[in-house]
Amino acid sequence: MAGALVVIPTFNEIDNIEKLLRNIFSLQRKFHVLIVDDNSPDLTGLKVKELQEEFPEALFLEERKGKLGLGTAYIHGFRWALERDYEFIFEMDADFSHNPNDLLRLYNACDKQGADMAIGSRYITGVNVVNWPMSRVLLSWGASKYVRFVTGMPIHDTTAGFICYKRKVLEQIDLNKIRFVGYAFQIEMKFKAYLKKFKIVEVPVIFTDRTKGESKMSSGIISEAIFGVISMKWKSLFKKKDV
């Protein structure tokens, strides 16, 4: 057992998935990868099955019947990991916005530097985003500032989706009570880890917008993230044990 599992949700990532997996499997440290594919029409799942023949001990695939949301894909992957012996569980995008080489840095933050949760942060040392229009940079940066203000979390990149969890974090968060399914899922997981007083660190990374495939961002996802934060914080004031 590698001890470290990278959970990657996919929907129409045929242009990226093979190169991404080969990059991960070429790293000095051994990582296992679980692809959670939402029945991609472009046959991403079929490509993963082909690659499983080459990496039978390290590559796993869970196929779902349709596009059910980012958060539910990660929770599916987390549960899969907790049923097995993984000590470090990662979440990562499939579009190369997250550099596979940074998996090692997130891993070391948890394994060698004592963090319970390591966040690949775009905003801990300024704004490290490549290929985004200024409007989107400002929206993302502003959203993180807003979430930090409302929740009180001392985290600069509250919406980041490149994370390493120690197993105990996911064991102590009730995954059945995760409310959000879009990008607000990232905020909720950080907030619940923060309420549990886990040690959370931010590791500076450079985020590069996808060059292949289509973005999954939508106005509904943004609204969920912005307006859901207040209710999440409000409920936490009265249900501190209900995390």
Side-chain angles (χ1 to χ4, degrees):
M1 182 65 67
L5 177 75
V6 185
V7 180
I8 305 177
T10 56
F11 183 78
N12 286 349
E13 294 292 354
I14 193 69
D15 293 328
N16 297 304
I17 195 63
E18 180 172 1
K19 183 179 178 182
L20 178 66
L21 290 170
R22 292 191 183 281
N23 280 18
I24 294 173
F25 293 140
S26 70
L27 295 174
Q28 290 182 332
R29 200 201 180 283
K30 185 178 180 183
F31 291 91
H32 285 180
V33 177
L34 171 67
I35 301 297
V36 182
D37 185 67
D38 277 2
N39 195 26
S40 297
D42 70 354
L43 304 182
T44 299
L46 182 60
K47 172 56 70 175
V48 173
K49 288 179 181 178
E50 292 175 4
L51 292 167
Q52 281 184 302
E53 297 180 8
E54 187 175 346
F55 305 103
E57 303 295 326
L59 178 58
F60 306 94
L61 173 65
E62 289 283 287
E63 294 181 290
R64 305 198 299 173
K65 293 183 178 180
K67 194 174 180 183
L68 303 175
L70 183 75
T72 65
Y74 276 128
I75 290 173
H76 185 105
F78 294 161
R79 289 193 173 115
W80 191 95
L82 293 175
E83 289 171 358
R84 292 156 180 85
D85 240 354
Y86 295 103
E87 180 59 29
F88 302 93
I89 298 108
F90 296 75
E91 57 174 79
M92 179 183 188
D93 288 347
D95 60 5
F96 278 99
S97 57
H98 303 144
N99 187 334
N101 295 329
D102 288 330
L103 286 168
L104 297 170
R105 300 172 61 229
L106 295 179
Y107 174 83
N108 288 335
C110 287
D111 184 51
K112 298 180 179 179
Q113 298 166 23
D116 298 314
M117 180 178 180
I119 299 168
S121 177
R122 297 163 291 185
Y123 306 129
I124 185 69
T125 57
V127 178
N128 294 319
V129 177
V130 177
N131 291 341
W132 265 6
M134 183 56 66
S135 59
R136 188 166 177 186
V137 172
L138 291 174
L139 176 63
S140 174
W141 180 82
S144 282
K145 290 291 185 183
Y146 164 78
V147 173
R148 178 175 170 140
F149 172 75
V150 172
T151 63
M153 291 190 291
I155 297 173
H156 292 84
D157 194 349
T158 55
T159 61
F162 194 17
I163 297 168
C164 176
Y165 299 90
K166 277 187 177 175
R167 180 185 185 89
K168 64 181 181 181
V169 177
L170 298 180
E171 286 178 331
Q172 292 186 42
I173 292 176
D174 188 345
L175 298 177
N176 291 321
K177 293 180 179 177
I178 297 298
R179 173 185 171 193
F180 297 117
V181 297
Y183 282 82
F185 165 82
Q186 307 293 2
I187 301 168
E188 187 173 9
M189 289 295 294
K190 295 178 186 68
F191 187 56
K192 293 197 171 186
Y194 166 71
L195 292 179
K196 289 282 189 181
K197 302 189 183 304
F198 285 113
K199 182 179 179 180
I200 303 172
V201 303
E202 290 183 86
V203 176
V205 300
I206 295 176
F207 178 97
T208 304
D209 194 22
R210 68 163 64 238
T211 58
K212 295 181 179 180
E214 296 182 359
S215 173
K216 313 303 189 296
M217 183 65 72
S218 70
S219 58
I221 286 172
I222 295 170
S223 296
E224 179 192 58
I226 293 175
F227 297 110
V229 170
I230 294 177
S231 64
M232 185 180 69
K233 172 64 176 179
W234 180 258
K235 290 178 181 178
S236 75
L237 297 175
F238 301 98
K239 299 181 179 179
K240 291 188 176 181
K241 294 181 179 179
D242 189 21
V243 184

